[in-house]
Amino acid sequence: DGGITQSPKYLFRKEGQNVTLSCEQNLNHDAMYWYRQDPGQGLRLIYYSQIVNDFQKGDIAEGYSVSREKKESFPLTVTSAQKNPTAFYLCASSMLSAQEDIQYFGAGTRLSVL
Amino acid sequence: SQQGEEDPQALSIQEGENATMNCSYKTSINNLQWYRQNSGRGLVHLILIRSNEREKHSGRLRVTLDTSKKSSSLLITASRAADTASYFCASYNNNDMRFGAGTRLTVKP
């Protein structure tokens, strides 16, 4: 998990509330990613960013928003429009090599609904 | 993001035995990667095999790739209790990474 810090480790959301998950990296990586993982399942891409001030929707972007104001930071907001937010959220970063791109992951944030 | 299928979904073996996990993917790739996830933690990269390679070794890990069948396998030899984790394959093609659903490996001491 070195180099990528996610916080908090656990987060609880109330009905109608927006919550923001933090992701910071000190690896000087250009690209950053947010994934959602449901129990016993693989990773689904929410959003990704390849450069500051630019980001793209992944496969399940509805109900989520992101920003990339700094290279080191890529926060994810889970909005009230996301009706089933309970999941494990993983942030990753990479050098963005066209041929060989390895992703480095944070330790994750577990989000639950109160 | 899920493209591949992993087989089996769960595998339970005794310490010292070998563990083999299989992965299939759907599109052409630049490379295929394997990651490990301990319970409640992030993924850690294990090994990468390029599309023009057929086999690669790293310590107790051996990965094979068959691009004609769009499949890969991960072999962990002489398994240890500490190898207990979920293992995911990820197919990579031009900045697009797709993860499989994973194999849950349990190694009993």
Side-chain angles (χ1 to χ4, degrees):
Chain A
D1 301 339
I4 300 187
T5 302
Q6 288 188 243
S7 62
K9 186 166 179 149
Y10 300 97
L11 188 57
F12 298 91
R13 193 190 88 167
K14 295 179 182 178
E15 194 78 30
Q17 186 182 40
N18 293 353
V19 291
T20 297
L21 285 61
S22 171
C23 179
E24 303 276 332
Q25 55 104 355
N26 62 4
L27 300 169
N28 199 33
H29 285 169
D30 290 314
M32 297 187 75
Y33 312 83
W34 274 106
Y35 292 95
R36 171 178 171 142
Q37 186 178 32
D38 291 284
Q41 297 190 29
L43 278 63
R44 292 186 289 169
L45 183 65
I46 305 172
Y47 269 99
Y48 66 99
S49 169
Q50 297 181 342
I51 194 169
V52 174
N53 291 325
D54 188 50
F55 47 83
Q56 306 296 327
K57 291 182 179 180
D59 299 320
I60 56 164
E62 188 173 348
Y64 301 97
S65 66
V66 293
S67 63
R68 186 91 186 273
E69 296 177 2
K70 299 186 299 181
K71 188 175 184 177
E72 302 80 20
S73 179
F74 192 41
L76 172 74
T77 296
V78 183
T79 74
S80 57
Q82 173 50 246
K83 297 306 179 188
N84 182 25
T86 297
F88 190 53
Y89 290 87
L90 287 163
C91 178
S93 70
S94 74
M95 290 281 291
L96 200 63
S97 163
Q99 292 300 315
E100 289 188 5
D101 205 41
I102 294 171
Q103 293 190 8
Y104 296 81
F105 285 82
T109 292
R110 190 166 299 279
L111 176 61
S112 302
V113 177
L114 290 175
Chain B
S1 302
Q2 296 185 53
Q3 180 195 180
E5 296 283 335
E6 271 137 322
D7 169 49
Q9 290 186 333
L11 179 61
S12 182
I13 59 174
Q14 293 294 134
E15 207 164 27
E17 294 180 340
N18 295 342
T20 299
M21 289 159 266
N22 303 298
C23 165
S24 62
Y25 57 92
K26 296 177 183 174
T27 65
S28 61
I29 58 171
N30 298 125
N31 64 67
L32 188 128
Q33 303 175 32
W34 285 88
Y35 289 78
R36 166 189 168 133
Q37 183 183 35
N38 286 358
S39 183
R41 304 289 291 176
L43 277 68
V44 175
H45 180 262
L46 292 176
I47 192 166
L48 179 153
I49 185 165
R50 298 185 183 94
S51 60
N52 62 355
E53 296 177 315
R54 292 297 166 258
E55 187 171 313
K56 198 162 184 180
H57 297 253
S58 177
R60 293 185 297 113
L61 304 180
R62 173 181 166 242
V63 172
T64 62
L65 179 65
D66 186 336
T67 52
S68 67
K69 295 181 179 177
K70 291 188 168 57
S71 67
S72 174
S73 68
L74 172 67
L75 169 67
I76 303 175
T77 61
S79 64
R80 306 165 182 169
D83 293 329
T84 293
S86 292
Y87 293 82
F88 295 88
C89 69
S91 58
Y92 182 76
N93 184 39
N94 294 333
N95 299 330
D96 185 25
M97 183 94 84
R98 299 282 167 164
F99 288 86
T103 292
R104 173 71 191 167
L105 173 66
T106 302
V107 182
K108 300 175 185 175

